[in-house]
Amino acid sequence: MRVSGLVSQTIDVKRSVRQGGVLSTLLYLVQINDLLESSGYGSKVMSVCTGNSAFADDISLLAHTPSHLQRLVDIVHTFCLHSKVSVNIDKSSITVFTKISAQPSACIRYNDQVTKQTASLVLGISYCFNTKIKDRISCGLQKAKNAVFSMAAQGVHAQGINPLLSPDLYSKVVVPIALYGSELWFNMTVTELNTISRLQHYAVKRIQGLPTSTRSDMAESMLGLNRLPSQIESRKLMFLHKILSLASNSVTRNIFIRNFILFINNNSLVSTGFIADICNILFKYQLLSIVNNILVPDPHIPSKNEWKRTVKIAISERESHDWDQRMSLNLDITFFRSLRPCIAPSIVYQVCNRSFFRNIICVVARLWVRPVSLDNIMCYLCGVIYQEQLVHYLCECEKTQPLRLHFINSLPSILLPDEMDTLLNHDSVALTLRLLGAPLDPILDRTTELQFLHSFYTHIGQCLTVIFEKTVTILSLPLLYARLTSC
């Protein structure tokens, strides 16, 4: 070892391998290979032995009876004595996958008795004795919530980082934590799916500074995010591709193909688990024919990028279709549907990235998702009867007319004359929608559109100031919005 120019005495390495060494992994695999040879005592799937699965230095022993499991433990003990390798018994445990009332009383020993637990942790995934995944989901969601709070402390909120950047951080940090091991979540109940979805509902509203009462479909679509259950299905489909891409003599691949064919042909005795889930997902997204082409004698396996692209397109189309159906069932959100016709990042967050303008953007985002009321109400400023509050204040109220004229007079520097005519020919409702960012005529190029909306969003702040008859700073605009929606 060399430290600060000083060299230690030489050390002879007679056992183990160097941590981080290029050959360390290969040498370990050569050493451990004899232990992983089939002994005939472990569990089997059909004729394939699956009793000693391993990943790196984590080994799981599976057996149908305590005597067979004890025999597997004895084999490990003998191997360790011969190879001068030790096992950390404190981190080892036994879990019996059956009902509590049917738990066997037999003890498994490795020198001392091995602790029996109701759940075992393998590669960071907890496996409960009753095969339920409720605790596994709860643990992942709690870690993800902690990550959301940590990100909020670092500026991932409505007044901090731009909401267009926040979803990317959320997808790369929070979602992997929440959905770790979700490829093996099967037979999920409606309650469990709703519990998973609530994490994203909370996160997207916090990122955008929206009220907790905001409809979650609106909040997710404003950031262009699909629902978490669909992301779980995407992970399962990518896991399927990983299995099918294994070598043709791979044990894992052969077990999957056998069970998959049995399930498809209705010859399987098992109706739950990963095979049943993946078949239902393939049917749902109409991808079964692609998988069938992989199972032929001379298969064509798409590359990872090709499969990922296919899965993304299929899920996006299905999510958009389901989102349209959910939105069309509620007449109270027709205003939002005109502003946001699809699942995509909202143009509101693209208008300005400067921090001092962020509060106005937050107000406009809330105006997008606010509930619309069409009751006849008298304006307390001008005494005119109106139906929609925001439409009246921005386009009809006499109190805001000077500001409205000033805004219209500033448009020739942004729009062409024919674009101006098209815009001003809209009625009050259509004009309000277009000014907020709805994809209505005139259709402008991106640069002009952003400049146009920037000007109008500034006009909104000025209108709010006049409505409440006092001068306020930009920082108090969210409070003005609260008064606007409550009056």
Side-chain angles (χ1 to χ4, degrees):
M1 296 179 61
R2 184 187 296 272
V3 179
S4 301
L6 301 177
V7 181
S8 68
Q9 296 180 351
T10 59
I11 302 173
D12 294 332
V13 178
K14 298 180 179 180
R15 286 193 303 170
S16 73
V17 292
R18 188 179 66 178
Q19 185 172 0
V22 176
L23 291 176
S24 298
T25 303
L26 178 60
L27 293 174
Y28 173 78
L29 292 176
V30 171
Q31 174 69 16
I32 204 71
N33 185 65
D34 292 339
L35 175 60
L36 300 179
E37 291 293 332
S38 175
S39 63
Y41 289 99
S43 62
K44 293 182 179 180
V45 176
M46 297 181 181
S47 60
V48 181
C49 180
T50 59
N52 52 358
S53 59
F55 184 87
D57 59 346
D58 287 329
I59 300 176
S60 302
L61 303 178
L62 303 174
H64 293 294
T65 63
S67 59
H68 282 191
L69 181 60
Q70 182 64 65
R71 179 57 182 161
L72 291 175
V73 172
D74 293 340
I75 293 174
V76 173
H77 185 243
T78 302
F79 175 85
C80 291
L81 291 177
H82 181 266
S83 303
K84 298 181 180 180
V85 177
S86 61
V87 174
N88 191 339
I89 296 299
D90 295 334
K91 292 185 178 180
S92 303
S93 63
I94 296 173
T95 299
V96 182
F97 295 95
T98 185
K99 297 179 181 180
I100 289 290
S101 59
Q103 293 278 338
S105 59
C107 299
I108 306 299
R109 294 185 174 276
Y110 184 98
N111 290 335
D112 295 328
Q113 181 176 334
V114 183
T115 305
K116 184 182 294 185
Q117 297 181 356
T118 57
S120 292
L121 194 66
V122 181
L123 300 179
I125 301 175
S126 177
Y127 294 88
C128 188
F129 74 96
N130 57 9
T131 68
K132 300 294 184 181
I133 61 173
K134 181 179 179 180
D135 294 339
R136 200 186 308 175
I137 293 175
S138 299
C139 181
L141 294 181
Q142 185 57 52
K143 292 179 180 179
K145 288 178 183 177
N146 295 338
V148 171
F149 295 141
S150 299
M151 291 174 61
Q154 300 301 319
V156 183
H157 51 77
Q159 310 303 324
I161 299 175
N162 188 290
L164 284 182
L165 177 61
S166 299
D168 189 52
L169 295 174
Y170 164 79
S171 299
K172 293 180 178 178
V173 177
V174 178
V175 173
I177 295 175
L179 303 186
Y180 178 73
S182 60
E183 294 85 350
L184 302 179
W185 296 354
F186 51 86
N187 303 333
M188 287 186 288
T189 64
V190 175
T191 301
E192 291 168 342
L193 290 173
N194 290 338
T195 302
I196 295 171
S197 298
R198 279 196 292 270
L199 168 69
Q200 182 160 292
H201 296 168
Y202 170 79
V204 295
K205 293 173 187 178
R206 187 181 182 93
I207 287 173
Q208 300 174 89
L210 300 177
T212 55
S213 59
T214 304
R215 179 163 172 157
S216 300
D217 282 332
M218 294 181 177
E220 289 176 321
S221 65
M222 292 264 296
L223 296 180
L225 293 174
N226 291 327
R227 296 174 300 166
L228 277 185
S230 69
Q231 297 186 48
I232 294 176
E233 293 171 338
S234 174
R235 286 170 171 262
K236 289 182 179 181
L237 289 171
M238 294 306 300
F239 185 56
L240 169 65
H241 180 268
K242 187 176 294 186
I243 293 175
L244 295 177
S245 299
L246 296 174
S248 58
N249 60 348
S250 168
V251 173
T252 303
R253 185 178 189 274
N254 291 333
I255 290 176
F256 171 80
I257 290 177
R258 289 181 185 183
N259 290 339
F260 181 82
I261 293 175
L262 285 176
F263 187 87
I264 292 296
N265 295 328
N266 296 322
N267 293 327
S268 176
L269 298 178
V270 180
S271 59
T272 60
F274 176 75
I275 301 292
D277 263 10
I278 203 65
C279 287
N280 292 332
I281 293 172
L282 291 171
F283 277 119
K284 177 180 179 180
Y285 295 108
Q286 301 179 1
L287 298 174
L288 186 60
S289 59
I290 299 179
V291 176
N292 288 336
N293 293 333
I294 299 176
L295 303 180
V296 297
D298 187 17
H300 168 69
I301 301 177
S303 66
K304 180 179 179 181
N305 289 335
E306 291 175 346
W307 180 250
K308 187 175 183 179
R309 192 181 310 113
T310 301
V311 169
K312 183 178 180 179
I313 293 174
I315 291 181
S316 296
E317 290 178 351
R318 180 59 183 259
E319 281 292 292
S320 297
H321 177 266
D322 292 347
W323 183 80
D324 283 334
Q325 285 192 326
R326 293 195 301 272
M327 287 296 183
S328 62
L329 295 176
N330 195 334
L331 298 178
D332 295 336
I333 58 177
T334 52
F335 197 84
F336 176 80
R337 286 288 282 123
S338 300
L339 289 166
R340 180 80 283 163
C342 62
I343 301 176
S346 173
I347 196 172
V348 171
Y349 303 124
Q350 304 174 34
V351 171
C352 186
N353 293 325
R354 297 178 182 178
S355 58
F356 73 87
F357 200 72
R358 198 66 47 75
N359 285 303
I360 294 182
I361 296 300
C362 180
V363 170
V364 175
R366 290 190 172 201
L367 293 178
W368 271 46
V369 300
R370 60 189 289 271
V372 176
S373 174
L374 299 179
D375 298 332
N376 291 326
I377 302 174
M378 186 177 70
C379 176
Y380 74 98
L381 295 176
C382 63
V384 174
I385 301 297
Y386 65 84
Q387 284 190 322
E388 213 298 303
Q389 189 179 49
L390 182 62
V391 173
H392 175 73
Y393 283 147
L394 296 181
C395 298
E396 299 171 347
C397 184
E398 293 181 0
K399 191 73 174 180
T400 60
Q401 185 176 6
L403 290 175
R404 192 159 53 250
L405 292 176
H406 176 74
F407 168 70
I408 293 174
N409 292 333
S410 68
L411 290 180
S413 62
I414 303 174
L415 304 179
L416 298 175
D418 57 336
E419 295 172 338
M420 280 273 298
D421 293 339
T422 303
L423 177 68
L424 298 179
N425 284 334
H426 287 304
D427 59 34
S428 297
V429 175
L431 180 60
T432 302
L433 291 172
R434 182 63 188 90
L435 294 174
L436 286 173
L440 304 175
D441 291 333
I443 303 300
L444 309 174
D445 63 79
R446 178 177 175 81
T447 303
T448 306
E449 177 74 16
L450 295 181
Q451 187 180 1
F452 168 69
L453 293 179
H454 183 281
S455 178
F456 177 68
Y457 292 167
T458 304
H459 171 66
I460 290 180
Q462 296 170 347
C463 286
L464 290 175
T465 303
V466 171
I467 289 171
F468 300 110
E469 300 180 334
K470 62 180 179 180
T471 302
V472 295
T473 62
I474 292 177
L475 293 178
S476 64
L477 283 178
L479 298 178
L480 292 180
Y481 166 74
R483 290 190 61 185
L484 172 64
T485 56
S486 63
C487 63

